[in-house]
Amino acid sequence: PVMLSLTMLVACGNWFGDVNGETGDESLETETGNPADTNDTDDINAAAADDARVRALTNWPEGNNPCREPILVRLAYITDGDTVYAHPDIPGDGFSVRLIGIDTPEIEHNGDPADCYGPEATAFASDQMKEKLAWLTFDAECFDYYDRTLAYVIRGEGEEGFINRVIARQGYAEQLTVEPNSTFADDFADDVSAAKADNLGIWKECR
């Protein structure tokens, strides 16, 4: 009879726990948070730190006779490997930016097929620039025939932060010099030569 009573008490306890939405195992659980929430927070913190780093830049490469002062922008989306759409960091209208000194393969457009390595060049440019803060610096002329802003995209110190040069050095672009925007023509020539020597990107896959 005693054993029977104990068994009934345990069973009743378990039943009441189930009714209340709790079990013995659940009462031992601890709240650890959602890992996805932690990852989102880390991404936000990393983006904020990157923005602060770019804002603090003061030593920008620019043309010998720039047509305007450098401006801080948010690079909204990538049109192709050498063209990006930007919004000013202060309120203002967005505009298309054509990177000076380089020419990447074309992507599919108006029914025309993509050039060799066009999608890859665009994907690389997106990885380097999309949704990121950057400084635009300028050379002698600010606009091209299509009314796009002609600029150098700067996200850091030295060659590694000079995005036009990074794209060329990694083998995603040929050199394109259009006067009078030629301040860094020799640097772009060196970058393209180095990419060829290392058999990178278009120089491996398309030549």
Side-chain angles (χ1 to χ4, degrees):
V2 174
M3 292 297 296
L4 180 61
S5 298
L6 289 173
T7 301
M8 292 178 65
L9 285 172
V10 170
C12 288
N14 289 340
W15 183 82
F16 280 115
D18 292 341
V19 169
N20 291 326
E22 298 178 355
T23 65
D25 290 341
E26 288 173 346
S27 66
L28 295 176
E29 290 182 357
T30 59
E31 295 185 4
T32 58
N34 188 336
D37 292 340
T38 301
N39 291 337
D40 289 344
T41 300
D42 290 344
D43 289 343
I44 291 170
N45 291 339
D50 186 68
D51 282 358
R53 178 188 61 80
V54 173
R55 288 181 193 279
L57 294 173
T58 57
N59 185 25
W60 315 289
E62 60 182 346
N64 293 328
N65 186 29
C67 56
R68 64 175 296 179
E69 293 293 316
I71 58 172
L72 189 63
V73 299
R74 178 72 62 184
L75 303 170
Y77 62 85
I78 306 304
T79 305
D80 59 24
D82 51 38
T83 311
V84 59
Y85 196 81
H87 291 282
D89 188 50
I90 58 175
D93 294 335
F95 54 95
S96 185
V97 179
R98 175 61 164 83
L99 276 64
I100 297 171
I102 62 172
D103 188 32
T104 61
E106 297 294 329
I107 58 173
E108 183 179 358
H109 182 66
N110 290 336
D112 294 329
D115 291 341
C116 178
Y117 233 61
E120 289 84 354
T122 301
F124 182 78
S126 181
D127 182 63
Q128 295 292 312
M129 296 187 286
K130 185 179 179 182
E131 299 180 356
K132 296 179 180 180
L133 204 65
W135 289 94
L136 299 184
T137 67
F138 304 93
D139 216 312
E141 286 188 353
C142 277
F143 299 99
D144 69 2
Y145 175 81
Y146 303 101
D147 204 33
R148 298 176 298 185
T149 296
L150 300 170
Y152 303 113
V153 177
I154 311 301
R155 285 198 18 88
E157 302 286 350
E159 296 176 19
E160 295 79 9
F162 195 160
I163 302 303
N164 309 50
R165 294 194 62 184
V166 170
I167 292 171
R169 179 63 183 85
Q170 295 303 313
Y172 292 98
E174 297 181 2
Q175 182 182 10
L176 177 64
T177 302
V178 179
E179 296 291 351
N181 292 350
S182 58
T183 300
F184 298 102
D186 289 344
D187 294 310
F188 292 128
D190 289 344
D191 295 330
V192 170
S193 293
K196 287 181 179 179
D198 291 341
N199 202 29
L200 298 177
I202 60 175
W203 310 112
K204 177 182 179 181
E205 303 296 337
C206 309
R207 298 294 188 271

